[in-house]
């Protein structure tokens, strides 16, 4: 007898009761716990970040195959410069390597990649790699994958206010829509589901403007240990929530 065909992630999602017509359109992730994962095994923090990169590849493919339209991940915060120089340098190198190495794979999977954050402040070799990744995937039509690098939600709001002032917009005419339009990636819809790994119950300055009504799913699993199963668990929990946006159910 022939071996049964391998189920797809959409079939596995259906099997655990997920409604494929009500998937979160935009999933944002705070990929936390790389350091703790490494320390648990007595290894260097940078080793943990490398394992986190592997998880990211898997989760991006899972989200794309499932049918999520937008995935936005926190790779380096505007506050992460406070870490030891060695870790900061190691992270910059890792992100640059990843951006260069994954170019072909991103296009093979029809992924449109882009970056949010104060990218002019990162080392120029990393900036070049990110620009190449963005331009060479810009015509892809599958999942939109956004990497937040040197990203801070408050900095993003400050930058939006600066552009409004530079444009000479009058104080009375400013509204929420105009601020949303001046975020780093204005075509991204607000996240529907925010996943944070490694258990901390905080936002750490991530997408704070956009997440006003985002549903939060926190797991104690560290990022390198995270995978499809928990992604589906987060989505299943999301589908049980009643979103009210201040109104009544
Ligand atoms: C998240 O893992 C990745 C980055 C911040 C770059 P951490 O490095 O914050 O891991 P923990 O929180 O120390 O375990
Ligand atoms: C948030 O994690 C930033 C990233 C995942 C890139 P942190 O580890 O920097 O957050 P805090 O310091 O615990 O709030
Ligand atoms: Mg952390």
């Amino acid at each position: 007898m022939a071996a049964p065909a391998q189920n797809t992630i959409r079939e596995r999602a259906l099997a655990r009761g997920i409604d494929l017509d009500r998937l979160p359109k935009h999933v944002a992730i705070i990929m936390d716990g790389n350091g703790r994962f490494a320390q648990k095994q007595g290894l260097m923090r940078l080793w943990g970040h490398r394992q986190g990169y592997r998880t990211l590849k898997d989760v991006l493919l899972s989200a794309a195959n499932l049918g999520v339209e937008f995935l936005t991940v926190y790779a380096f915060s505007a506050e992460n410069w406070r870490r030891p120089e060695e870790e900061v340098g190691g992270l910059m190198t890792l992100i640059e390597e990843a951006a260069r190495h994954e170019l072909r794979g991103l296009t093979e999977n029809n992924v449109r990649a882009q970056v949010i954050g104060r990218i002019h402040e990162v080392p120029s070799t990393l900036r070049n790699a990110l620009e190449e990744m963005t331009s060479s995937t810009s015509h892809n039509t599958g999942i939109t994958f956004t990497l937040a690098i040197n990203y801070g939600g408050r900095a993003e709001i400050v930058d939006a206010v600066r552009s409004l002032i530079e444009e000479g917009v009058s104080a009375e005419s400013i509204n929420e829509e105009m601020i949303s339009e001046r975020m780093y990636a204005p075509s991204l819809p607000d996240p529907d589901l925010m996943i944070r790994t490694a258990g901390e119950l905080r936002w750490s300055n991530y997408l704070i403007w956009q997440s006003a009504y985002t549903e939060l799913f926190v797991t104690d699993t560290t990022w390198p240990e995270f995978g499809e199963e928990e992604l589906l668990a987060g989505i299943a929990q999301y589908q049980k929530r009643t979103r009210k946006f201040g109104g009544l159910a």
Side-chain angles (χ1 to χ4, degrees):
M1 211 172 84
Q6 185 96 47
N7 285 341
T8 65
I9 186 170
R10 285 175 70 83
E11 286 163 349
R12 291 191 289 277
L14 274 176
R16 62 179 348 286
I18 288 173
D19 177 352
L20 295 174
D21 295 325
R22 287 176 47 245
L23 290 175
K25 196 173 166 150
H26 182 180
V27 176
I29 307 185
I30 302 179
M31 310 183 290
D32 199 16
N34 295 349
R36 275 164 281 175
F37 175 70
Q39 276 155 357
K40 270 198 292 197
Q41 358 227 338
L43 293 166
M44 304 277 288
R45 294 180 57 85
L46 267 173
W47 178 81
H49 294 311
R50 291 207 165 263
Q51 302 308 302
Y53 164 32
R54 293 168 59 159
T55 302
L56 178 56
K57 284 175 37 163
D58 292 346
V59 169
L60 171 58
L61 273 187
S62 296
N65 292 334
L66 185 61
V68 170
E69 290 178 51
F70 302 90
L71 179 72
T72 302
V73 302
Y74 210 2
F76 191 89
S77 80
E79 288 74 34
N80 284 148
W81 300 103
R82 294 174 187 155
R83 295 187 179 198
E85 216 179 291
E86 191 193 344
E87 182 170 352
V88 169
L91 278 165
M92 295 293 146
T93 308
L94 176 61
I95 300 170
E96 183 183 333
E97 266 177 42
R100 293 192 194 286
H101 198 251
E102 300 306 328
L103 263 190
R104 188 139 56 96
L106 288 171
T107 291
E108 276 166 10
N109 289 290
N110 201 18
V111 176
R112 194 166 74 94
Q114 60 176 8
V115 183
I116 53 174
R118 288 187 172 163
I119 298 308
H120 55 279
E121 292 172 359
V122 306
S124 59
T125 52
L126 171 58
R127 193 165 62 239
N128 294 340
L130 294 171
E131 277 164 6
E132 194 182 339
M133 179 186 78
T134 304
S135 59
S136 73
T137 63
S138 65
H139 298 295
N140 295 341
T141 54
I143 192 169
T144 297
F145 171 60
T146 306
L147 266 169
I149 296 172
N150 191 24
Y151 174 88
R154 288 183 171 186
E156 184 177 34
I157 296 169
V158 168
D159 289 347
V161 171
R162 282 183 184 157
S163 3
L164 286 169
I165 292 173
E166 276 163 15
E167 290 162 37
V169 172
S170 70
E172 319 75 70
S173 67
I174 295 175
N175 56 33
E176 293 181 8
E177 206 185 331
M178 289 168 78
I179 295 180
S180 293
E181 282 164 0
R182 284 157 187 82
M183 294 286 116
Y184 297 137
S187 59
L188 278 184
D190 289 344
D192 301 294
L193 171 64
M194 162 93 69
I195 296 174
R196 181 162 191 150
T197 59
E200 308 296 348
L201 299 173
R202 56 178 172 255
W203 254 257
S204 301
N205 204 13
Y206 191 41
L207 302 175
I208 51 178
W209 174 268
Q210 298 88 337
S211 294
Y213 275 103
T214 297
E215 296 294 330
L216 185 57
F217 174 77
V218 178
T219 169
D220 285 334
T221 306
T222 66
W223 177 247
E225 298 166 294
F226 187 85
E228 174 189 307
E229 184 47 39
E230 283 210 273
L231 175 67
L232 295 180
I235 292 173
Q237 200 183 103
Y238 164 84
Q239 291 191 335
K240 291 202 189 92
R241 309 264 179 93
T242 305
R243 302 185 76 184
K244 297 191 286 188
F245 300 94
L248 299 177

